[in-house]
């Protein structure tokens, strides 16, 4: 089997064989949660998005890579409704939530009340919040003030807060960047489990190529205002650590391709 | 090879977090200096170092308190003073906090009001006393208006700054969770600004006392300031000192009250 990297539009794998028809249909039946056509964004004379098209479908787990300053956060903010694009046709599912690099918990609300921010669960709200916190392993901290949470814990509360409203689209802007390596590994597993449970479409911005390969089933690279790369991780490898270890060569190939796209020379030979 | 002399680090046994009792060492230490000052004062008076005509001894002042109480002067003065300070403080806080919120929340309101507020703020309120007497007579109104005016600005400035300085990232997060501007105001901006508002309230309370003293020393017919006026006319220094001590006690009470309010209103700090 060859590498995991199909140009998405073709829906064919690298062997040149057409993908299974059923797979093709399955992929297509999922409703889009994001549909951008010709979206442009500039800051002054700097072009951040140069008439890009982008479609994300239900349940997709997409990693967005790009050099620093390439406009990943800007794209995410447009998707979140915090910034506006200058032109283009933008359609986005209304129920979407964001986890930022910092937790952004309200310091004057206990953890469980932070989870409920802006929700209307009525009488059983507290139970809903506690269940969401239990899912991120923080049932015991429901009553804590954000000030008394560690960085990783606060970020997990932010994750629970994002998921409790069952978003169709979950936007994550380098959510683990400020965490230590061990906590980050735990967070990967957690995000994966939460995604498997709730199946939102996920767009995760990251600087970490390994993180992208480990978590995503599709990887985008933003460069010079366009998606210079839009590739699917081969289904056999997606979120499968064992398979990824076994197919180390394929994974490395993918990694080098991403890194060279990001302008990092790895010095390794790409087959 | 050089020798390394290891340093021994101290250890502390784990301590239970028990609430501090009033007689805990930390609290007792607080009273050390005031008590020492009192003792020095008493000793100074007893040895004749401090003349009774300059500063009566603590025991004399205590006797004066009893006298003030027996004649009923104290009971008459306290409510009058407290009502004045309370009314002025209440109005001042109302105006100051309201405008602080409005100007903090709305750019438009800020452009209309803020520069005017900043100009009026720079006028020392004490300079307005003669004007107020001409305008409002010598009744209660000029006194309460003076206290109100003095209390407006600390409340205004701190509330305004509190609202303006709320972390915009929190507001953004709230927006992504679909909160309306009104919900953001009540669920994010106001609670986040509360610590700053309370700082304003604390300052206003202090200023209200200051304004009370100024207001009461002119044309009062009741209140602690009036007592001072009468006492100084009668050369009763002990009574003047007693009244000054009452003002000081009020200041301490204000401080304690604010500590309690802050503790219960801001448990997350
Ligand atoms: N409000 C703004 N005004 C002007 N320029 C901006 C603004 N926000 C972002 N930019 C510019 O747009 C470019 C893209 O910024 P953005 O934050 O989207 O990058 P990024 O890909 O998220 O970078 P990083 O990986 O470092 O987080 C940067 O050059 C930045 O300076
Ligand atoms: Mg960014």
């Amino acid at each position: 089997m060859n590498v995991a990297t199909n140009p998405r539009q073709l829906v064919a794998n690298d062997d040149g064989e057409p993908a299974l028809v059923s797979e093709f249909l399955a992929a297509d039946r999922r409703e889009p949660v994001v549909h951008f056509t010709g979206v442009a964004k500039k800051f002054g004379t700097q072009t951040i998005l140069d008439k890009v098209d982008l479609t994300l479908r239900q349940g997709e787990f997409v990693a967005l890579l790009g050099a620093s300053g390439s406009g990943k956060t800007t794209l995410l903010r447009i998707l979140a409704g915090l910034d506006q694009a200058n032109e283009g046709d933008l359609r986005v599912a209304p129920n979407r939530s964001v986890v930022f690099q910092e937790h952004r918990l309200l310091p004057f609300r206990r953890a469980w009340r932070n989870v409920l921010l802006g929700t209307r669960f009525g009488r059983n709200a507290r139970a809903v919040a506690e269940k969401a916190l239990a899912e991120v392993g923080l049932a015991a901290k429901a009553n804590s003030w954000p000030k008394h949470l560690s960085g990783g814990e606060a970020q997990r509360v932010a994750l629970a807060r994002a998921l409790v409203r069952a978003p169709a689209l979950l936007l994550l802007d380098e959510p683990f960047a400020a965490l230590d390596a061990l906590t980050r590994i735990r967070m990967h597993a957690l995000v994966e489990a939460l995604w498997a449970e709730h199946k939102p479409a996920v767009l995760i911005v990251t600087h970490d190529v390994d993180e992208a390969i480990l978590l995503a089933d599709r990887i985008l690279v933003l460069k010079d205002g366009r998606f210079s790369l839009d590739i699917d991780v081969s289904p056999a490898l997606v979120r499968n650590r064992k398979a990824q270890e076994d197919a180390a060569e394929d994974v490395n190939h993918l990694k080098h391709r991403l890194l060279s796209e990001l302008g990092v020379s790895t010095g390794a030979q790409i087959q | 090879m050089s020798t390394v002399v290891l340093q021994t680090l101290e250890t502390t046994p784990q301590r239970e977090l028990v609430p501090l009792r009033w007689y805990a060492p930390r609290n007792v230490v607080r009273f050390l200096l005031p008590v020492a000052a009192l003792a020095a004062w008493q000793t100074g008076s007893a040895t004749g170092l401090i003349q009774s005509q300059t500063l009566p001894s603590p025991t004399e002042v205590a006797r004066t308190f009893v006298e003030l109480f027996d004649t009923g002067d104290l009971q008459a003065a306290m409510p009058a003073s407290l009502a004045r300070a309370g009314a002025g403080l209440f109005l001042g806080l109302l105006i100051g906090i309201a405008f602080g919120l409005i100007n903090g929340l709305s750019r438009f309101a800020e452009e209309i009001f803020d520069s005017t507020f900043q100009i009026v703020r720079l006028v020392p309120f004490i300079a307005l006393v003669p004007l107020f007497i001409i305008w409002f007579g010598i009744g209660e109104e000029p006194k309460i208006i003076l206290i109100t005016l003095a209390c407006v600005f600390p409340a205004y400035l701190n509330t305004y700054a509190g609202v303006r300085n709320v972390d915009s990232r929190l507001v953004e997060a709230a927006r992504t969770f679909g909160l309306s501007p009104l919900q953001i105001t009540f669920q994010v901006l106001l609670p986040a600004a509360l610590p700053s508002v309370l700082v304003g309230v604390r300052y206003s309370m202090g200023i209200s006392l200051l304004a009370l003293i100024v207001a009461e020393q002119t044309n009062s017919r009741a209140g602690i300031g009036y007592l001072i006026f009468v006492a100084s006319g009668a050369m009763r220094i002990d009574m003047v000192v007693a009244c000054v001590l009452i003002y000081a006690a009020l200041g301490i009470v204000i401080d304690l009250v604010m500590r309690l309010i802050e503790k219960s209103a801001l448990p997350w700090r």
Side-chain angles (χ1 to χ4, degrees):
Chain A
M1 198 197 67
N2 207 329
V3 202
T5 55
N6 309 328
R8 187 171 173 74
Q9 299 85 338
L10 299 179
V11 197
N13 50 35
D14 275 5
D15 299 325
E17 292 165 4
L20 290 172
V21 175
S22 61
E23 214 180 292
F24 179 83
L25 287 178
D28 233 15
R29 256 206 307 275
R30 295 185 299 179
E31 296 278 320
V33 290
V34 174
H35 194 75
F36 277 14
T37 26
V39 172
K41 175 73 178 173
K42 283 187 175 188
F43 282 121
T45 54
Q46 190 185 4
T47 304
I48 308 294
L49 296 175
D50 186 10
K51 301 220 170 82
V52 296
D53 303 336
L54 175 66
T55 303
L56 303 181
R57 294 182 181 279
Q58 290 176 322
E60 263 190 314
F61 201 128
V62 182
L64 176 60
L65 295 169
S68 184
S70 58
K72 306 178 295 294
T73 297
T74 305
L75 174 65
L76 207 91
R77 289 176 58 84
I78 291 173
L79 282 164
L82 291 172
D83 271 346
Q84 291 195 346
N86 301 129
E87 56 178 281
D89 183 48
L90 302 90
R91 289 154 205 269
V92 193
N95 52 335
R96 49 199 195 272
S97 44
V98 192
V99 177
F100 301 90
Q101 183 170 340
E102 336 81 51
H103 57 73
R104 301 200 185 186
L105 299 177
L106 300 179
F108 43 84
R109 285 185 173 217
R110 294 181 190 274
W112 71 274
R113 297 250 302 124
N114 257 294
V115 169
L116 293 175
L117 179 66
T119 60
R120 287 162 173 259
F121 289 112
R123 295 169 60 90
N124 59 341
R126 166 123 207 186
V128 172
E130 279 177 351
K131 184 165 164 285
L133 283 169
E135 277 192 74
V136 297
L138 285 179
K141 300 278 182 182
N143 263 324
S144 298
W145 299 109
K147 194 185 169 190
H148 296 148
L149 297 172
S150 74
E153 287 169 346
Q155 204 60 325
R156 271 143 72 195
V157 175
L159 208 52
R161 178 171 72 170
L163 283 168
V164 79
R165 49 212 88 217
L169 175 61
L170 178 61
L171 301 164
L172 308 171
D173 192 359
E174 305 188 41
F176 316 133
L179 305 179
D180 66 279
L182 270 179
T183 310
R184 201 162 351 165
I185 292 172
R186 293 215 184 87
M187 291 293 275
H188 289 161
L190 177 64
V191 165
E192 197 182 316
L194 291 171
W195 172 82
E197 166 85 19
H198 300 278
K199 282 290 161 72
V202 177
L203 181 66
I204 180 171
V205 171
T206 174
H207 274 124
D208 186 342
V209 172
D210 294 313
E211 188 171 279
I213 296 173
L214 200 62
L215 288 174
D217 40 42
R218 180 181 166 197
I219 300 175
L220 299 170
V221 177
L222 185 61
K223 189 171 159 186
D224 301 331
R226 300 194 147 266
F227 294 115
S228 65
L229 212 58
D230 180 352
I231 53 182
D232 288 354
V233 178
S234 99
L237 297 182
V238 170
R239 286 180 291 277
N240 187 333
R241 280 183 188 71
K242 182 82 176 59
Q244 290 196 3
E245 272 168 32
D246 292 346
E249 204 170 296
D250 292 349
V251 172
N252 263 336
H253 177 96
L254 175 58
K255 188 172 162 180
H256 291 312
R257 185 162 162 202
L258 291 171
L259 285 174
S260 68
E261 196 61 38
L262 292 169
V264 182
S265 170
T266 57
Q269 191 66 42
I270 298 172
Q271 303 101 321
Chain B
M1 218 192 288
S2 64
T3 48
V4 178
V5 181
L6 295 181
Q7 184 191 1
T8 311
L9 302 179
E10 300 291 322
T11 61
T12 336
Q14 191 191 3
R15 240 180 314 188
E16 291 282 318
L17 273 176
V18 285
L20 276 181
R21 314 239 172 258
W22 69 267
Y23 51 80
R26 250 178 74 183
N27 283 337
V28 171
V29 164
R30 279 174 214 268
F31 295 104
L32 228 53
L33 210 54
V35 168
L38 203 64
W41 176 9
Q42 178 68 48
T43 324
S45 298
T47 55
L49 223 59
I50 304 173
Q51 301 251 300
S52 182
Q53 299 95 296
T54 321
L55 184 63
S57 73
T59 36
E60 279 177 272
V61 175
R63 241 178 278 128
T64 309
F65 267 116
V66 174
E67 182 196 328
L68 281 174
F69 190 82
D70 284 344
T71 56
D73 287 342
L74 188 63
Q75 294 91 313
M78 283 297 275
S81 287
L82 287 181
R84 265 179 210 136
L89 179 67
F90 175 77
L91 291 174
L93 289 180
L94 204 68
I95 297 168
I97 293 177
F99 275 95
L101 292 179
I102 294 168
N103 292 3
L105 293 171
S106 148
R107 223 4 102 198
F108 184 63
E110 192 227 294
E111 274 159 16
I112 294 178
F113 297 116
D114 187 61
S115 54
T116 312
F117 265 74
Q118 298 295 348
I119 295 167
V120 178
R121 176 175 76 90
L122 294 174
V123 178
F125 68 90
I126 295 174
L128 297 175
V129 172
L131 269 184
F132 277 22
I133 291 173
I134 294 169
W135 291 344
F136 306 108
I138 52 169
E140 282 301 294
E141 292 92 347
K143 298 184 181 61
I144 291 178
I145 292 172
L146 188 76
I147 298 170
T148 302
L149 187 71
C151 291
V152 164
F153 296 106
Y156 169 75
L157 290 175
N158 284 284
T159 305
Y160 173 77
V163 175
R164 269 296 147 86
N165 293 339
V166 172
D167 188 349
S168 63
R169 294 174 308 174
L170 295 182
V171 177
E172 268 189 353
R175 268 173 65 200
T176 67
F177 293 125
L179 273 76
S180 67
L182 203 66
Q183 285 174 312
I184 289 178
T185 303
F186 282 99
Q187 295 184 32
V188 182
L189 292 175
L190 297 190
L194 187 60
S196 189
V197 175
L198 290 181
V199 169
V201 172
R202 185 191 273 266
Y203 282 151
S204 286
M205 281 182 156
I207 291 274
S208 76
L209 205 58
L210 184 68
L212 175 74
I213 297 168
V214 173
E216 286 192 334
Q217 308 254 339
T218 48
N219 295 305
S220 285
R221 261 154 295 162
I224 299 170
Y226 170 70
L227 276 188
I228 293 186
F229 182 72
V230 171
S232 67
M235 297 294 279
R236 288 285 306 269
I237 295 186
D238 56 331
M239 206 175 270
V240 174
V241 172
C243 291
V244 168
L245 287 182
I246 293 175
Y247 280 131
L250 285 178
I252 293 171
V253 169
I254 286 174
D255 207 60
L256 288 177
V257 168
M258 276 319 291
R259 266 169 213 256
L260 278 180
I261 291 178
E262 276 172 15
K263 210 166 182 175
S264 62
L266 310 171
W268 47 277
R269 299 262 283 187

